[in-house]
Amino acid sequence: MHDISEYLAKNKERFINELIQLLKIPSVSADPAYSQDVINASEAVKASLLEAGCDTAEICETNGYPIVYGEKIINPELPTILVYGHYDVQPADPIDLWNSPPFEPVIKPTALHPEGAIFARGACDDKGQMYMHVKALEFMVKTNQLPCNVKFMIEGEEEVGSENLGTFVAENKEKLANDIILISDTGMIANNVPSITTGLRGLSYVEVEVTGPNRDLHSGLYGGAVANPINVLTKMIAALHNENNHITIPGFYDKVEDISKEERAEMAKAPFSLENYKKALDINAVYGEKGYTTNERNSIRPTLDVNGIWGGYTGAGAKTVIASKAFAKISMRLVPHQDWKEITELFKTHFESLATDGVTVKVTPHHGGQGYVTPIDNNAYKAASKAYETTFGKTPIPQRSGGSIPIVSLFEKELKSKTILMGFGLDSDAIHSPNEHFGVWNYLKGIETIPYFYQYFTKLSE
Ligand code: BES
Ligand code: MN
Ligand code: MN
């Protein structure tokens, strides 16, 4: 792979511009107002796969947004890499907090990205990271260095729970057959501390509704004499953690994987500065489950968080009212062996039991998925590690992430293949937040590193 640097030097402006064009399409899967844009993004991805050198690329319709599938099979005897990514993005709101419009990408330097970062919704999650694979393929095909077969499966519903991908995978096992699944939709520790993601958390996402009186009431005439659903809801939510910030749902921790002292000690070796962590978030202290470090709390431990809460009067000025209803959206991040459906049931039973007199409680499950832990003793990890060594000049650190890509465990179940998570984003890239960005250096480093993975993986598979 002697000329990837040369190819990059020659083509990097075009690589950046092509990504910018893709980022201009507001493919927000959660909001039906953008449905045509989501479809347009799928077309753009298909075109880019053909342009990069796939033999075939197609739009596969589902009951929701389409899945883009492309492939280049050079020899059935050789290994096959299946690249997964997503072309849909999170909603941009709160829009006021963006320094530039979310779908008009701009390149600006930041403290961690002195050579510039592309600011746009989806820059890092996941258009930028997905597109690295398209450009890596282009390089390998155009320079006759593709060492194995490759398949692409790029979906448009990741940010809304991948509801239709499961069916597609189950119905297309033959077509999707592969030796390894390769995903860039996670992060790494720092540009000078490369890491490979070895774990993802599972997820259970629910919505709760507490109903009191049959209509909104005057808070003077009725206050104190009837249950106020907002008062009750906040009390119920507060009861979900104890004074040590352990979750109080009975049975919640029963299946949580025990991590040995040795493994925790190993994890603690990853470079981390609590001071910088606090400074970056402008907080005077961290917070969380007693007995665990910050990095353990956000990776190997399950959590429960309110993601949104509403009810009553929230307009300008004051209105004296007791609302009839209060609502919250709650997510639970799960760790290996916790079953998301079982946890959802445990939550429902417990939450309903917390209801006081005078209210009714409804729990509606949204979506969820299982966690995943990747092996580090297989050819894929070895090949990825070697690829990072080649381009970063350092051995990457294996690190578990707190985020979720629920479909990964389903891939293993249906396709019987392992996944390797080569993420090139940083935690500070503000995914799902205003001013999401992706370092230009990171984008190009990804394009540079991926072909080495192909090369080493093919060699190790011989
Ligand atoms: N790419 C993220 C997940 C991620 C980000 C994992 C960084 C590890 C590090 C993905 O697009 C995402 O946002 N997943 C959702 C879950 C999904 C079911 C909506 C999440 O983690 O909240
Ligand atoms: Mn993503
Ligand atoms: Mn996301």
Side-chain angles (χ1 to χ4, degrees):
M1 209 73 65
H2 56 281
D3 57 356
I4 176 76
S5 325
E6 197 185 308
Y7 196 86
L8 269 177
K10 243 193 235 148
N11 294 284
K12 69 176 186 193
E13 293 305 320
R14 177 172 58 84
F15 286 0
I16 293 166
N17 285 329
E18 285 178 15
L19 173 58
I20 285 178
Q21 295 314 313
L22 186 62
L23 290 168
K24 283 184 184 169
I25 307 173
S27 48
V28 180
S29 51
D31 186 345
Y34 294 97
S35 60
Q36 188 55 50
D37 298 294
V38 183
I39 290 164
N40 292 348
S42 73
E43 294 287 351
V45 170
K46 177 189 159 188
S48 74
L49 286 174
L50 289 171
E51 186 69 28
C54 276
D55 294 330
T56 59
E58 54 182 314
I59 301 276
C60 306
E61 297 299 338
T62 71
N63 286 330
Y65 289 120
I67 292 156
V68 185
Y69 178 82
E71 62 176 34
K72 185 163 181 71
I73 308 296
I74 56 170
N75 176 353
E77 306 286 297
L78 288 167
T80 300
I81 295 174
L82 173 66
V83 176
Y84 163 83
H86 60 98
Y87 63 81
D88 65 320
V89 302
Q90 283 276 318
D93 65 283
I95 203 105
D96 299 348
L97 297 183
W98 283 78
N99 298 324
S100 57
F103 299 108
E104 293 171 30
V106 290
I107 299 179
K108 281 182 302 188
T110 72
L112 293 179
H113 298 296
E115 45 321 272
I118 307 173
F119 283 78
R121 171 57 83 229
C124 178
D125 185 9
D126 178 42
K127 283 176 177 165
Q129 297 215 67
M130 176 271 289
Y131 208 68
M132 298 181 314
H133 290 272
V134 181
K135 293 299 100 178
L137 175 70
E138 177 196 306
F139 161 71
M140 290 184 282
V141 172
K142 301 279 143 86
T143 59
N144 271 315
Q145 296 184 85
L146 181 65
C148 61
N149 306 308
V150 57
K151 298 176 176 177
F152 277 77
M153 174 172 63
I154 313 296
E155 72 153 319
E157 297 186 307
E158 196 279 340
E159 298 292 8
V160 289
S162 303
E163 234 176 277
N164 295 293
L165 187 63
T167 315
F168 179 79
V169 171
E171 286 173 358
N172 291 281
K173 288 186 191 169
E174 194 80 8
K175 181 185 186 116
L176 300 171
N178 66 81
D179 296 282
I180 190 72
I181 297 170
L182 175 58
I183 303 180
S184 294
D185 194 21
T186 56
M188 58 180 189
I189 296 174
N191 285 1
N192 58 359
V193 189
S195 60
I196 294 176
T197 305
T198 53
L200 294 163
R201 286 196 286 190
L203 179 72
S204 164
Y205 201 108
V206 300
E207 186 164 326
V208 299
E209 179 184 320
V210 175
T211 307
N214 61 2
R215 59 187 170 88
D216 288 6
L217 302 171
H218 189 287
S219 64
L221 297 181
Y222 289 92
V226 295
N228 175 331
I230 302 177
N231 290 8
V232 173
L233 173 61
T234 51
K235 222 180 188 175
M236 292 167 75
I237 289 170
L240 295 174
H241 290 94
N242 69 13
E243 67 285 1
N244 293 326
N245 288 319
H246 285 291
I247 294 156
T248 54
I249 300 168
F252 186 85
Y253 291 101
D254 283 3
K255 294 192 176 163
V256 169
E257 172 192 42
D258 249 333
I259 303 221
S260 66
K261 262 203 190 116
E262 291 72 28
E263 201 174 334
R264 286 175 70 186
E266 197 53 42
M267 288 178 58
K269 286 186 190 156
F272 176 72
S273 154
L274 194 58
E275 276 323 300
N276 290 347
Y277 187 84
K278 290 191 287 186
K279 217 199 265 161
L281 300 176
D282 224 342
I283 50 178
N284 61 13
V286 290
Y287 181 95
E289 190 183 4
K290 195 172 169 190
Y292 294 93
T293 65
T294 294
N295 275 335
E296 290 172 340
R297 288 168 178 166
N298 68 24
S299 63
I300 59 165
R301 297 298 295 169
T303 56
L304 182 152
D305 277 289
V306 178
N307 292 244
I309 181 164
W310 68 102
Y313 183 69
T314 56
K319 178 187 178 195
T320 49
V321 65
I322 291 175
S324 164
K325 284 179 186 289
F327 305 84
K329 290 186 193 277
I330 298 175
S331 68
M332 287 161 278
R333 295 283 169 173
L334 310 175
V335 296
H337 310 322
Q338 283 183 298
D339 180 81
W340 78 272
K341 290 191 172 148
E342 204 175 302
I343 292 291
T344 305
E345 274 312 305
L346 291 177
F347 175 89
K348 190 168 175 338
T349 307
H350 181 61
F351 201 71
E352 285 168 354
S353 81
L354 292 175
T356 60
D357 286 344
V359 300
T360 54
V361 172
K362 197 165 112 194
V363 176
T364 312
H366 270 276
H367 54 259
Q370 294 301 110
Y372 186 71
V373 179
T374 71
I376 60 169
D377 56 1
N378 63 358
N379 284 344
Y381 190 89
K382 286 179 196 152
S385 185
K386 234 179 123 190
Y388 282 70
E389 274 167 28
T390 307
T391 57
F392 286 79
K394 277 183 186 170
T395 304
I397 298 171
Q399 204 198 32
R400 291 217 204 167
S401 169
S404 309
I405 310 177
I407 207 70
V408 171
S409 70
L410 192 137
F411 289 157
E412 173 151 50
K413 190 169 146 250
E414 297 287 352
L415 303 175
K416 311 275 177 270
S417 35
K418 300 281 178 198
T419 290
I420 181 94
L421 298 155
M422 292 174 54
F424 294 90
L426 302 182
D427 282 355
S428 53
D429 286 344
I431 63 171
H432 295 208
S433 281
N435 304 309
E436 174 178 353
H437 54 279
F438 188 36
V440 170
W441 186 89
N442 300 66
Y443 177 56
L444 299 174
K445 206 55 162 180
I447 300 171
E448 185 187 349
T449 308
I450 290 162
Y452 287 104
F453 173 79
Y454 278 61
Q455 199 184 55
Y456 297 141
F457 181 73
T458 305
K459 220 177 261 158
L460 285 172
S461 305
E462 268 167 14

